[in-house]
Amino acid sequence: MNKTGAIFTIFLAFVLAIGLVFIDNAGDVYYEAQDVYRVYLDGNSIGIIRSKSDLEAYINEKQNAIKEQYNVSRVYEPNNLKIEKEITYNEKISSVAEVYNKISNEKAFTIDGYIVTIKKKNDDLKLYVLDKNVFTDAINETVKSFVDKDKYDAYLREQQQDIVDEGTIIENVYIEDDINIKKGRIPVNEKIFYDHDSVSATKELTKYLIFGNLDKQKTYKCKSSDTLSSIAEANKLNIKELLVANNDLSGEDALLYDGQELVVNLIDPQITVTEVTHEVDKQVVKYDTIEQKDSSMYIGQSKTIKKGENGIEKVTKKVQRKNGFIVSAVGVSSEVLKEPVDKIVKVGTKRTTWSGSYIGSINYSAPDGYWSWPTKSGYCLTSSYGEYRSYERHFALDISCTGLGSPIYAVQGGTVTEIATGYGNNTSVVNYGNYVEINHGNGVVTLYAHLNSVNVSVGQVVSKKQVIGTMGNSGFSFGTHLHFAVYRNGSVVNPFSLY
């Protein structure tokens, strides 16, 4: 090697030696590459530290307030914080205090707990508890809000009494929603259902599961003259909703005292409690009226030949309720205990001699038995006239138990004025789905909705008890039933006013 080459080699070695030494602004000196930890928050680098465990310990040390509030022994970094090991030569090393300050200004720290995910149609609902028992106890209390407590306890103990004559047996109770519970880190800025007293936490979560919020509930102070029915009516609630909102009440016949406070908020359940029951009850079978024409009597005259008597029928059915409301009722069997006796009436057909025309319209205030029932026997009522549903009245009777495809009858003769067809079972947003409307004259119109099929056409004249369609679940419907509505002079009236 010549002299020039030797000098260059010595110079290069000196430069490389200098390059292995780096002095940063903080005075840290590195003579070689070393392991460090890069901290990422939401995917963005916020600094490099020497020790991951030191940062974790520093977070836990600084968050004593969180530990005291939630009664936990450890506080952790945010869920979206990542700490990854890497090698560096000359980057600035941050202190754990510097990185901690950046984190605390941006994100919430976490603690150990349980994440409950309830699958929803549009968006999943997440709940956070520190004790898994708080959630399971709240679920159990929520179920008892929708299911008779005594019957539910007997069901759980497998000690339900057999039905002798009439009664109800619970066959199944379950939560319809898909619920997942897993252990995880909970951000402390989320609503966490906890308390040093687990009973309080359970009560608070139960309230949320029933009402959908933790707001202060609207209350009503009872007067001595109040009943549950009058309170529900005054606050546009269904009595079932009122009982759920006040699950300490014993039932619809609960006694109230002067000054008692009841919650009168509309419920918004966050889970679906499904109850399936086997029920046996007796119901009245209305007698029919048979008219016999008599030419010796003038038009408008009538004479009862035989009085009518109602019958009695024992109906066995399987009923499905969701959050306390019947969504399906299927008749299992029916037994006639007493046959109804038809009323027989002679009606005049003889015309008077005065000049004028007679219009054979149906009298709205006709004698008992003049109007027939729209379904076959073995029916049950799943919703009554005038009851509230989410602050809106239901101005019809919902009749079920006779089964999908069972016949629907015209309650009296008249002319079909409107129909709708072509709607599938519970697939249409059109409220009534397939329906038939009949004008009976004298201002009386009847509506038969949610039909499976329609057997008549517009303009057709139908007779009393003629099959006009079949029971279905079309339109905006939650189970096979008939929506039966009655109108008089354009205003809706209680269908029972016909009978």
Side-chain angles (χ1 to χ4, degrees):
M1 178 182 296
N2 58 33
K3 185 176 181 181
T4 301
I7 292 173
F8 178 80
T9 300
I10 293 171
F11 176 78
L12 180 61
F14 177 78
V15 171
L16 289 174
I18 294 297
L20 289 175
V21 180
F22 177 77
I23 303 176
D24 68 8
N25 293 334
D28 293 316
V29 179
Y30 302 109
Y31 294 94
E32 59 184 11
Q34 64 176 4
D35 294 337
V36 293
Y37 294 87
R38 185 176 296 277
V39 182
Y40 294 92
L41 187 61
D42 287 334
N44 299 316
S45 174
I46 61 171
I48 296 174
I49 56 177
R50 292 178 182 153
S51 170
K52 176 182 178 182
S53 59
D54 285 351
L55 177 60
E56 293 170 340
Y58 192 84
I59 291 172
N60 185 55
E61 178 186 346
K62 288 291 185 180
Q63 293 301 317
N64 286 325
I66 290 178
K67 288 188 283 187
E68 290 178 7
Q69 178 182 355
Y70 295 102
N71 193 26
V72 295
S73 59
R74 185 72 187 268
V75 177
Y76 301 91
E77 65 274 10
N79 284 329
N80 48 2
L81 187 83
K82 303 296 181 185
I83 305 176
E84 297 181 355
K85 189 175 183 179
E86 64 178 50
I87 297 174
T88 188
Y89 287 94
N90 57 5
E91 287 195 69
K92 179 182 181 299
I93 305 300
S94 301
S95 67
V96 292
E98 290 173 325
V99 173
Y100 168 84
N101 289 334
K102 290 180 180 180
I103 296 170
S104 60
N105 290 332
E106 294 292 332
K107 296 293 178 181
F109 296 107
T110 61
I111 55 178
D112 282 330
Y114 292 89
I115 303 166
V116 181
T117 303
I118 302 176
K119 295 290 184 182
K120 294 288 186 179
K121 189 173 183 180
N122 298 321
D123 191 20
D124 292 346
L125 172 64
K126 288 190 180 297
L127 303 172
Y128 303 95
V129 294
L130 300 186
D131 182 355
K132 187 167 31 173
N133 290 330
V134 167
F135 178 73
T136 55
D137 290 346
I139 284 288
N140 193 45
E141 289 302 311
T142 303
V143 169
K144 288 182 178 180
S145 297
F146 295 110
V147 179
D148 183 278
K149 297 181 183 65
D150 293 336
K151 288 185 173 65
Y152 182 57
D153 287 338
Y155 163 76
L156 293 177
R157 296 194 307 269
E158 298 183 352
Q159 294 179 350
Q160 296 186 89
Q161 298 295 318
D162 292 336
I163 298 174
V164 177
D165 191 29
E166 294 182 273
T168 298
I169 290 178
I170 297 176
E171 292 187 350
N172 197 7
V173 177
Y174 59 93
I175 307 298
E176 192 170 296
D177 312 86
D178 182 9
I179 300 177
N180 176 266
I181 307 175
K182 68 176 182 179
K183 197 166 186 178
R185 302 273 174 81
I186 304 174
V188 295
N189 63 339
E190 295 287 352
K191 170 59 186 174
I192 301 174
F193 293 93
Y194 80 99
D195 201 291
H196 299 303
D197 172 12
S198 61
V199 174
S200 299
T202 298
K203 188 175 181 179
E204 185 181 40
L205 181 52
T206 301
K207 176 182 176 181
Y208 182 83
L209 291 174
I210 291 174
F211 292 99
N213 61 65
L214 296 173
D215 300 338
K216 181 176 176 58
Q217 302 299 317
K218 180 183 175 184
T219 59
Y220 173 83
K221 189 170 288 188
C222 298
K223 300 186 290 291
S224 57
S225 59
D226 284 328
T227 64
L228 285 180
S229 295
S230 67
I231 295 171
E233 176 72 19
N235 290 279
K236 297 183 178 181
L237 293 174
N238 185 290
I239 194 166
K240 300 183 188 72
E241 295 170 329
L242 185 61
L243 287 171
V244 171
N246 300 273
N247 58 7
D248 55 328
L249 294 174
S250 59
E252 294 188 18
D253 298 323
L255 296 177
L256 305 176
Y257 58 86
D258 195 36
Q260 181 178 0
E261 282 198 355
L262 296 182
V263 174
V264 289
N265 263 89
L266 184 67
I267 62 174
D268 182 19
Q270 299 302 295
I271 58 173
T272 304
V273 178
T274 300
E275 176 191 21
V276 180
T277 57
H278 179 86
E279 302 181 13
V280 180
D281 55 35
K282 295 175 184 177
Q283 65 183 35
V284 172
V285 181
K286 298 291 290 184
Y287 65 81
D288 199 5
T289 298
I290 307 300
E291 292 183 344
Q292 296 179 349
K293 295 181 179 180
D294 189 332
S295 60
S296 67
M297 299 170 59
Y298 287 106
I299 292 174
Q301 293 181 323
S302 64
K303 182 179 181 180
T304 300
I305 303 301
K306 184 178 181 182
K307 290 184 177 180
E309 294 182 13
N310 291 328
I312 300 175
E313 186 174 34
K314 180 186 284 188
V315 178
T316 301
K317 57 199 173 187
K318 181 172 288 190
V319 180
Q320 184 185 71
R321 292 176 175 85
K322 293 187 179 182
N323 292 341
F325 289 90
I326 296 175
V327 295
S328 174
V330 178
V332 176
S333 64
S334 61
E335 177 187 359
V336 177
L337 304 179
K338 177 186 175 184
E339 292 282 358
V341 176
D342 290 339
K343 180 179 182 179
I344 300 177
V345 178
K346 282 189 175 182
V347 293
T349 60
K350 186 178 180 181
R351 294 183 177 276
T352 61
T353 57
W354 58 277
S355 59
S357 60
Y358 167 74
I359 301 176
S361 61
I362 292 171
N363 192 334
Y364 178 78
S365 56
D368 290 341
Y370 193 72
W371 302 82
S372 65
W373 192 251
T375 71
K376 67 178 186 179
S377 63
Y379 70 88
C380 60
L381 295 179
T382 56
S383 185
S384 59
Y385 175 86
E387 71 176 29
Y388 279 100
R389 295 176 176 178
S390 300
Y391 292 146
E392 293 185 2
R393 281 191 185 276
H394 178 247
F395 290 113
L397 296 178
D398 282 351
I399 308 169
S400 191
C401 286
T402 57
L404 179 68
S406 60
I408 300 299
Y409 307 107
V411 296
Q412 188 49 266
T415 302
V416 177
T417 52
E418 192 173 336
I419 66 169
T421 60
Y423 295 107
N425 288 351
N426 201 19
T427 57
S428 172
V429 295
V430 176
N431 285 346
Y432 291 148
N434 304 320
Y435 68 86
V436 173
E437 182 183 88
I438 300 175
N439 189 329
H440 302 284
N442 204 31
V444 181
V445 174
T446 54
L447 174 72
Y448 314 76
H450 304 307
L451 302 180
N452 188 55
S453 62
V454 172
N455 294 19
V456 292
S457 57
V458 173
Q460 182 176 340
V461 176
V462 296
S463 58
K464 179 180 177 181
K465 287 190 174 182
Q466 180 175 333
V467 176
I468 59 172
T470 57
M471 184 176 287
N473 187 30
S474 61
F476 190 64
S477 169
F478 296 96
T480 299
H481 74 285
L482 171 70
H483 174 96
F484 177 51
V486 176
Y487 300 85
R488 183 185 187 189
N489 298 324
S491 298
V492 65
V493 297
N494 191 336
F496 277 122
S497 63
L498 299 179
Y499 301 98

